[in-house]
Amino acid sequence: NAGVTQTPKFRILKIGQSMTLQCAQDMNHNYMYWYRQDPGMGLKLIYYSVGAGITDKGEVPNGYNVSRSTTEDFPLRLELAAPSQTSVYFCASRPGGRRIGNTDTQYFGPGTRLTVL
Amino acid sequence: AQSVTQLDSQVPVFEEAPVELRCNYSSSVSVYLFWYVQYPNQGLQLLLKYLSGSTLVESINGFEAEFNKSQTSFHLRKPSVHISDTAEYFCAVTKVNAGNMLTFGGGTRLMVKP
């Protein structure tokens, strides 16, 4: 298994540009997550999904959109990039269903480093 | 809402010395507790977790953490560190039976020197 993969690894955007960060997992996990990591601030949850067709907001969703049309893919869309969105973005997934709860390990991708100038 | 505080942003230590990385949390409900490690230019990997039962949990590479409910702490320890332990360590919590949101601390950079 490749695990969780993310593309691109690095990207520089100009203010107002848009882009999609790609995330894919081949472990047949139901749950997928998008986090941003700012220096000294830990990770903050942007959006998450409990299965194909179902998404929900996390702690910091403003300025982002997601979709989940398949179990494998969970892209993150930035419509109008702003300097405040300069960060490292991590995608994660975990197995488990509603009955199991939230004890399962989250598996993280290698991250996308985004700079908005 | 819960919160996590990692008291030290950086911890320099010499190889083979013991180390403790501190983590305190705040929550009005029961939580599960996790330590994740991030090696340079990589994503986070689970190091260990506390769900229930014994308050002392161990990882396969010699780290251990103890859940202390009265002090709301989950400090990470290793009796003898190696150069390869150099990484950033994140403490995280999630509410028991209440959703998917992991709340992370700000991270502690462990720097092991020869």
Side-chain angles (χ1 to χ4, degrees):
Chain A
N1 287 349
V4 180
T5 57
Q6 293 183 240
T7 56
K9 291 187 178 179
F10 304 94
R11 184 73 185 267
I12 298 175
L13 285 181
K14 294 182 179 178
I15 295 172
Q17 286 186 317
S18 62
M19 77 164 293
T20 300
L21 282 66
Q22 301 291 345
C23 173
Q25 53 90 10
D26 60 358
M27 299 174 282
N28 201 32
H29 287 173
N30 291 326
Y31 295 83
M32 296 188 74
Y33 307 81
W34 273 107
Y35 294 90
R36 58 177 289 170
Q37 182 183 25
D38 299 320
M41 300 294 291
L43 280 72
K44 293 189 182 298
L45 183 65
I46 304 172
Y47 271 95
Y48 68 96
S49 169
V50 302
I54 307 170
T55 63
D56 206 349
K57 295 177 180 179
E59 188 180 358
V60 289
N62 291 344
Y64 306 95
N65 280 299
V66 293
S67 59
R68 184 98 181 267
S69 57
T70 66
T71 298
E72 293 78 18
D73 300 297
F74 189 42
L76 177 72
R77 179 85 177 160
L78 283 71
E79 290 293 350
L80 293 170
S84 61
Q85 293 177 305
T86 294
S87 189
V88 181
Y89 292 83
F90 287 101
C91 179
S93 72
R94 72 168 177 90
R98 295 181 190 276
R99 290 188 297 111
I100 297 175
N102 56 356
T103 63
D104 292 315
T105 300
Q106 291 191 20
Y107 295 85
F108 284 78
T112 293
R113 187 174 296 274
L114 176 67
T115 302
V116 182
L117 301 174
Chain B
Q2 61 267 29
S3 65
V4 180
T5 302
Q6 292 183 243
L7 296 165
D8 306 298
S9 59
Q10 294 186 68
V11 174
V13 63
F14 287 106
E15 194 173 19
E16 298 184 5
V19 70
E20 178 180 81
L21 307 183
R22 296 179 292 171
C23 172
N24 288 90
Y25 70 93
S26 173
S27 177
S28 57
V29 299
S30 296
V31 296
Y32 297 133
L33 295 146
F34 304 80
W35 275 99
Y36 279 84
V37 58
Q38 184 181 28
Y39 297 106
N41 301 314
Q42 295 186 27
L44 279 71
Q45 304 171 34
L46 180 70
L47 189 60
L48 47 77
K49 61 183 177 182
Y50 171 78
L51 305 179
S52 64
S54 172
T55 58
L56 185 66
V57 290
E58 298 176 352
S59 72
I60 59 173
N61 58 352
F63 283 94
E64 64 179 31
E66 186 160 19
F67 170 54
N68 188 319
K69 189 174 182 179
S70 62
Q71 296 187 2
T72 59
S73 68
F74 192 53
H75 301 332
L76 182 70
R77 302 183 182 95
K78 189 170 185 179
S80 175
V81 294
H82 302 289
I83 295 287
S84 59
D85 293 324
T86 295
E88 186 137 19
Y89 292 80
F90 292 94
C91 183
V93 303
T94 185
K95 290 187 285 189
V96 173
N97 298 325
N100 291 278
M101 191 177 297
L102 271 176
T103 299
F104 285 86
T108 297
R109 186 172 299 277
L110 176 63
M111 300 174 292
V112 182
K113 300 180 285 187

